[in-house]
Amino acid sequence: MKVIDHLNDAKSTLFSFEILPPLKGKSIQSIYDGIDPLMEFKPKYINVTYHREEYVYKERDEGLLKKISIRKRPGTVGICAAIMNKYNVDAIPHLICGGFSKEETENALIDLQFLGIDNVLALRGDPIKTENSFKPHPDGHRYARELIDQIVEMNHGKYLSEDYNLEPTNFCIGVAGYPEKHFEAMNLSTDLKYLKEKVDAGASYIVTQMFFDNQKYFDFVQSCREMGITVPIIPGLKPLKTLQHATFLPKFFNIDLPETLANEVLKCKTNDAIRDLGIEWGIQQAKDLKAAGVPGLHFYTMSDSSSVKAIASEIF
Ligand code: FAD
């Protein structure tokens, strides 16, 4: 079932979450171990992230370095199929522009359709670690908007080939939105302009980047509505879990911790203390958002569902 249909059918705020594929070599059981504790909250769908290749340098015998491309977390599509098979819950693969030619994208979408997956979260993807800006595949897409165009074309039966009468696909498309602006955007209004382009191109809903200050989300939704973006905007929540999160998350995701939270973080001396704070803050954020009537609460588990479980048990 499509995410937009889940949202339209919902009588109250939906619960959903995102997982990462495990590091290469780990079994599917590690995925189930993360999902099992959250099933009691009846997620309507589960997102699975996509991780493109990274380049690492390996020393050769002569002391020379060799550049090697590796994908540390493969398996997004297989995990989606396994989730749908085991839990009978919709799984949403993340599909990115980076590293994909248009034809590879087309083939990936055909695989998804064959598996009965009719949802995708369409993203550009981040620059790979060894590049300081995003470099599209020479025959790929530069922006998520272009990827959406390709999916919509396929939904109309128009593939890259010139053949006629091809079977239309039937994907529901979600996109990313950034209440505190995407790190590359000149300002929030240009970012919103491009977000509107993604929606106008065919996205049915928006999932936000994590935020720790609900007011940022409410302001973002209001700005979106003022410029004519009418689709559901699902808030993304991430519980703080380690002392390292307090500096890593703001830097990596271009977000601020509100002053009250930052002051509480400064008092924490151990990861256990931060974890408790993250749960307490997450419960408050989720309660306020739910009370404001948000369409869903989408949790970033980042491979550890224990804090999300603690929050969800207070909310759902
Ligand atoms: P876009 O919408 O293409 O925007 C990228 C930047 O370009 C923005 O600054 C935007 O303002 C600007 N822009 C857009 N269109 C134009 C235009 N026409 N001209 C000029 N500028 C333009 N990354 C992964 O690699 N794998 C994942 O699984 C993944 N999952 C994510 C899930 C969520 C919910 C979120 C919020 C992010 C996720 N990301 C993931 C990260 C995401 O790929 C990065 O944030 C990426 O840098 C931007 O992706 P986007 O789809 O928002 O890009």
Side-chain angles (χ1 to χ4, degrees):
M1 186 166 157
K2 295 187 168 60
V3 170
I4 191 63
D5 295 331
H6 282 300
L7 291 165
N8 288 338
D9 290 357
K11 305 270 177 290
S12 63
T13 303
L14 294 185
F15 170 65
S16 63
F17 59 92
E18 173 191 288
I19 58 165
L20 274 63
L23 286 168
K24 191 183 276 191
K26 287 205 165 184
S27 77
I28 189 78
Q29 189 56 45
S30 63
I31 288 289
Y32 299 152
D33 290 345
I35 294 177
D36 286 343
L38 300 178
M39 287 312 291
E40 64 177 286
F41 309 111
K42 304 198 173 6
K44 285 290 180 228
Y45 55 92
I46 299 171
N47 281 56
V48 184
T49 55
Y50 186 92
H51 300 260
R52 64 177 294 192
E53 76 282 8
E54 292 174 31
Y55 289 102
V56 292
Y57 289 90
K58 288 245 159 117
E59 199 170 326
R60 293 194 325 205
D61 291 347
E62 325 83 84
L64 294 171
L65 293 178
K66 188 176 177 199
K67 193 176 173 188
I68 299 175
S69 161
I70 49 166
R71 278 189 66 207
K72 291 187 178 166
R73 294 182 186 272
T76 302
V77 174
I79 292 169
C80 284
I83 289 173
M84 290 179 54
N85 190 35
K86 181 171 164 73
Y87 298 100
N88 200 21
V89 167
D90 285 303
I92 322 298
H94 292 191
L95 189 63
I96 64 169
C97 304
F100 281 80
S101 69
K102 288 177 197 147
E103 202 204 346
E104 286 162 342
T105 297
E106 183 172 276
N107 293 339
L109 288 162
I110 291 170
D111 278 344
L112 294 177
Q113 197 76 6
F114 286 164
L115 286 167
I117 295 172
D118 52 6
N119 291 285
V120 283
L121 191 71
L123 302 147
R124 187 196 70 179
D126 278 324
I128 49 178
K129 281 185 190 140
T130 40
E131 291 175 348
N132 47 21
S133 64
F134 176 79
K135 302 223 175 6
H137 185 287
D139 187 30
H141 301 301
R142 177 172 291 275
Y143 297 111
R145 153 72 205 276
E146 298 167 8
L147 173 58
I148 296 162
D149 287 343
Q150 183 176 3
I151 304 169
V152 169
E153 294 265 272
M154 285 179 72
N155 279 350
H156 290 122
K158 202 163 165 220
Y159 289 53
L160 295 171
S161 70
E162 301 294 315
D163 298 342
Y164 296 102
N165 296 327
L166 299 177
E167 197 74 40
T169 56
N170 190 17
F171 288 104
C172 168
I173 306 166
V175 289
Y178 303 83
E180 298 178 62
K181 141 182 143 49
H182 182 256
F183 69 98
E184 289 165 26
M186 287 187 285
N187 56 43
L188 191 54
S189 32
T190 56
D191 210 20
L192 284 173
K193 171 176 125 56
Y194 295 126
L195 177 59
K196 181 161 188 321
E197 282 187 5
K198 292 195 283 191
V199 173
D200 291 347
S204 299
Y205 66 98
I206 297 166
V207 189
T208 77
Q209 183 57 280
M210 67 184 72
F211 55 88
F212 291 90
D213 179 351
N214 286 353
Q215 195 53 47
K216 298 254 168 82
Y217 168 82
F218 295 130
D219 293 346
F220 175 71
V221 173
Q222 193 183 335
S223 304
C224 287
R225 300 306 181 222
E226 281 167 8
M227 64 188 307
I229 298 173
T230 56
V231 297
I233 302 177
I234 302 162
L237 295 178
K238 157 99 195 102
L240 279 183
K241 221 153 26 197
T242 62
L243 289 164
Q244 198 206 8
H245 272 168
T247 47
F248 169 78
L249 297 179
K251 180 170 167 230
F252 193 79
F253 295 106
N254 192 46
I255 51 162
D256 278 345
L257 299 194
E259 198 162 334
T260 328
L261 178 59
N263 287 338
E264 291 304 313
V265 167
L266 290 174
K267 292 182 203 157
C268 294
K269 300 286 174 256
T270 62
N271 281 339
D272 282 349
I274 284 273
R275 184 182 173 277
D276 291 347
L277 172 63
I279 291 170
E280 200 189 313
W281 191 268
I283 290 172
Q284 204 47 54
Q285 262 197 290
K287 275 189 178 162
D288 291 351
L289 289 163
K290 192 170 179 223
V294 296
L297 290 169
H298 186 68
F299 289 89
Y300 297 108
T301 67
M302 284 187 173
S303 304
D304 177 3
S305 47
S306 62
S307 294
V308 174
K309 180 179 167 74
I311 296 169
S313 15
E314 296 291 322
I315 308 295
F316 295 99

